[in-house]
Amino acid sequence: MVVANRLPVAWDGEDWTISPGGLVRALRPVLQNAEGAWVGWAGIPDFAPEPFDHDGISQKPVPLSEDEVDSFYFGFCNATLWPLYHDAIVAPEFDRQHWGSYVDVNQKYADAAAEVAAVGDIVWVQDYQLQLVPSMLRSVVPDATVGFYLHIPFPPIEVFARLPWRRQIVEGLLGSDVIAFQTRQSADNFSRAARRLAGAEAVGKRDLRWRGRLVHLQPAPIAIDTAEFERLASSVGVQQRAAEIRSELGDPDHVILGMDRLDYTKGIDLRLEAFESLLYSSPRERHQFAFVQVAVPSREQVPAYQQLRIDIEQIVGRINGTYGEPGWVPVSYLYRTLPLEEVIAYYVAADVMLVTPLRDGMNLVAKEYVASRTAGDGVLVLSEFAGAAEQLRAALIVNPYDVDAVVETLSYATTMPVDEQQQRMRKLRNMVRKADVFDWARDCLATLEDR
Ligand code: G6P
């Protein structure tokens, strides 16, 4: 059984449709085989559909009221935990009422899961929205095997310790048999927090003893459906669309791409400023560049996201106003959700991919770009603060805060000889082929089955 904030299906007003995304793709066959269930929110406030089957998986909706969406989802999840776990790039809000709602809503998910869980079941809880569920669930279904996967970073204790409810969160997670993280760094950070804040005891390198039970900490970097990206990227439709995109951009020598959810963790503003610097310092080559930034709308009710959108649109306006000319727009900015084929066409069209988050659990865009480069060329510029940097070492690794270094790297990326591009891309492509999202799910579940 999977317990996640969202169900793997979305209601479009008439029907349920499968949500796109790697996690759903990877877990679908596993759950279908196991006659499994998925517990989660349908994504619409005050919507309480009865449990139903979709695609061979039994779906158990957890309804959230408008108030709960405000205080649990927008409040505690996305104005407290999200910024705190991403190095407090934006100041986290500490609001007692939001915390109360986090506890209540976690209890709702745990109760819903307990209703369907049977003896011997494996329950796999996902992400920062549900960190109290493992302990809550264990207290009602002590025999279940409980796994937890954190998709975002677990911060260093110096940052985490600010949270007034830090002990409760750590104890919530310690109800798991296995807690898996994107990186070794996150697993180590959690281990330290559990020992200092909840009195857990280290057993070997990767286990903790807590209240007489063993809890295993597992670094398990998430991945993508590599074969599917390769298949789509090499399809005639996507190849044609990629050529069309280049020509729509005026056939520049260098297409540079950024592709992110509009989120302050992604470093979109600093990246644009680096591009602006490049334009400033290369008056003669300027026209050879075209920068495309796709920003996918996200959490639009949180004030920090609204402000970020204003800031980014101002920078884009400034760059285009200063440097643009009739027939040449330096930055093409798309604030929308694109269909997957269109996303991949942009990957295929881009000579340089800029993935420069200030902090990111993994960053799958980096892996998607690599998988889509079936011709074996292209340059990936990757932030050292993305989990993906632990694996994609053949990328050009940068500190995204160091704007001068990003400018230099960008200028290197646009002049990199094809030989070097191919050499690096070969290593990167081997990496994303060696470990896809199906391997990830298999590894995580195998660890749980062994408990
Ligand atoms: C990140 C989180 C996910 C979350 C996703 C989209 O990847 O780790 O748990 O679902 O962002 O955010 P949203 O708030 O729209 O679910």
Side-chain angles (χ1 to χ4, degrees):
M1 185 197 309
V2 171
V3 188
N5 181 42
R6 293 177 185 275
L7 284 175
V9 289
W11 180 247
D12 65 9
E14 280 176 15
D15 235 328
W16 293 100
T17 51
I18 256 298
S19 304
L23 178 73
V24 175
R25 260 195 125 66
L27 295 182
R28 201 163 147 203
V30 180
L31 286 174
Q32 284 167 338
N33 280 340
E35 292 180 23
W38 192 304
V39 176
W41 175 45
I44 304 167
D46 290 320
F47 180 46
E50 289 299 312
F52 58 97
D53 276 7
H54 185 95
D55 210 18
I57 300 170
S58 97
Q59 312 276 339
K60 186 151 173 65
V62 179
L64 296 183
S65 68
E66 189 96 45
D67 278 356
E68 285 170 332
V69 173
D70 276 349
S71 51
F72 160 75
Y73 174 70
F74 287 116
F76 202 76
C77 292
N78 291 320
T80 306
L81 292 173
W82 182 267
L84 184 75
Y85 281 32
H86 290 88
D87 292 354
I89 297 164
V90 158
E93 288 174 17
F94 299 120
D95 178 314
R96 293 190 203 84
Q97 193 238 327
H98 291 175
W99 162 251
S101 175
Y102 187 76
V103 176
D104 294 346
V105 171
N106 270 249
Q107 191 65 60
K108 259 179 135 166
Y109 278 84
D111 292 345
E115 270 176 36
V116 249
V119 177
D121 273 358
I122 291 179
V123 184
W124 200 16
V125 184
Q126 307 290 319
D127 227 359
Y128 64 103
Q129 301 94 345
L130 302 178
Q131 294 170 100
L132 306 177
V133 170
S135 277
M136 289 171 166
L137 194 58
R138 180 163 302 284
S139 67
V140 258
V141 197
D143 292 335
T145 303
V146 182
F148 184 91
Y149 191 82
L150 186 67
H151 291 252
I152 68 174
F154 194 89
I157 188 159
E158 292 76 6
V159 176
F160 181 69
R162 292 178 207 173
L163 185 68
W165 309 281
R166 58 201 187 181
R167 186 182 47 80
Q168 289 93 316
I169 295 273
V170 169
E171 292 186 355
L173 288 168
L174 286 170
S176 319
D177 295 286
V178 178
I179 312 175
F181 301 88
Q182 298 279 18
T183 60
R184 275 184 302 234
Q185 193 182 48
S186 283
D188 292 345
N189 287 345
F190 178 77
S191 172
R192 203 162 306 126
R195 284 177 282 140
R196 292 243 207 111
L197 303 171
E201 185 198 327
V203 179
K205 211 168 154 354
R206 286 272 167 251
D207 286 284
L208 294 171
R209 189 185 312 282
W210 190 67
R211 298 193 178 160
R213 290 174 32 251
L214 273 190
V215 181
H216 183 64
L217 307 183
Q218 183 189 17
I222 202 167
I224 57 166
D225 183 350
T226 308
E228 180 66 358
F229 276 86
E230 289 184 337
R231 186 183 72 76
L232 286 169
S234 42
S235 71
V236 177
V238 167
Q239 290 286 328
Q240 273 173 358
R241 177 65 192 131
E244 214 172 272
I245 289 171
R246 289 192 75 103
S247 102
E248 285 165 4
L249 291 168
D251 279 321
D253 290 347
H254 310 286
V255 175
I256 304 164
L257 177 65
M259 172 81 66
D260 315 79
R261 257 185 332 101
L262 189 86
D263 196 299
Y264 48 80
T265 58
K266 304 293 182 185
I268 302 171
D269 41 358
L270 289 178
R271 179 191 309 163
L272 282 164
E273 281 167 8
F275 181 62
E276 185 176 27
S277 257
L278 183 73
L279 295 179
Y280 174 79
S281 59
S282 43
R284 260 177 300 166
E285 295 94 55
R286 229 173 246 166
H287 295 88
Q288 301 171 0
F289 302 119
F291 186 106
V292 180
Q293 177 63 54
V294 179
V296 176
S298 181
R299 305 174 193 163
E300 288 172 293
Q301 289 175 50
V302 179
Y305 288 72
Q306 295 165 353
Q307 187 56 48
L308 179 73
R309 179 173 177 197
I310 295 171
D311 294 346
I312 286 177
E313 294 183 355
Q314 203 170 44
I315 303 172
V316 171
R318 186 179 70 217
I319 299 175
N320 287 341
T322 307
Y323 297 104
E325 285 163 20
W328 177 64
V329 182
V331 181
S332 300
Y333 168 73
L334 285 73
Y335 181 67
R336 73 199 69 154
T337 304
L338 299 176
L340 184 61
E341 273 90 343
E342 183 75 357
V343 169
I344 299 178
Y346 276 97
Y347 292 149
V348 174
D351 306 294
V352 177
M353 181 83 210
L354 278 182
V355 182
T356 54
L358 306 178
R359 178 59 73 190
D360 213 330
M362 172 52 58
N363 197 296
L364 292 180
V365 164
K367 293 187 175 180
E368 291 173 5
Y369 176 69
V370 169
S372 304
R373 302 302 299 180
T374 50
D377 60 354
V379 182
L380 173 65
V381 177
L382 179 60
S383 161
E384 65 184 89
F385 303 122
E390 271 191 13
Q391 296 178 295
L392 301 177
R393 302 224 182 113
L396 296 179
I397 306 285
V398 287
N399 171 359
Y401 289 98
D402 186 346
V403 175
D404 287 340
V406 179
V407 177
E408 233 170 81
T409 309
L410 189 51
S411 120
Y412 182 58
T414 52
T415 50
M416 187 188 282
V418 179
D419 276 6
E420 185 182 342
Q421 290 185 30
Q422 287 171 336
Q423 219 172 36
R424 288 177 180 270
M425 195 48 83
R426 198 171 314 122
K427 290 187 186 151
L428 295 170
R429 289 181 57 75
N430 283 343
M431 173 70 235
V432 299
R433 284 182 151 173
K434 206 171 69 192
D436 70 9
V437 75
F438 301 103
D439 299 316
W440 168 81
R442 205 175 309 121
D443 283 357
C444 290
L445 291 170
T447 314
L448 276 169
E449 274 158 8
D450 286 347
R451 305 309 287 181

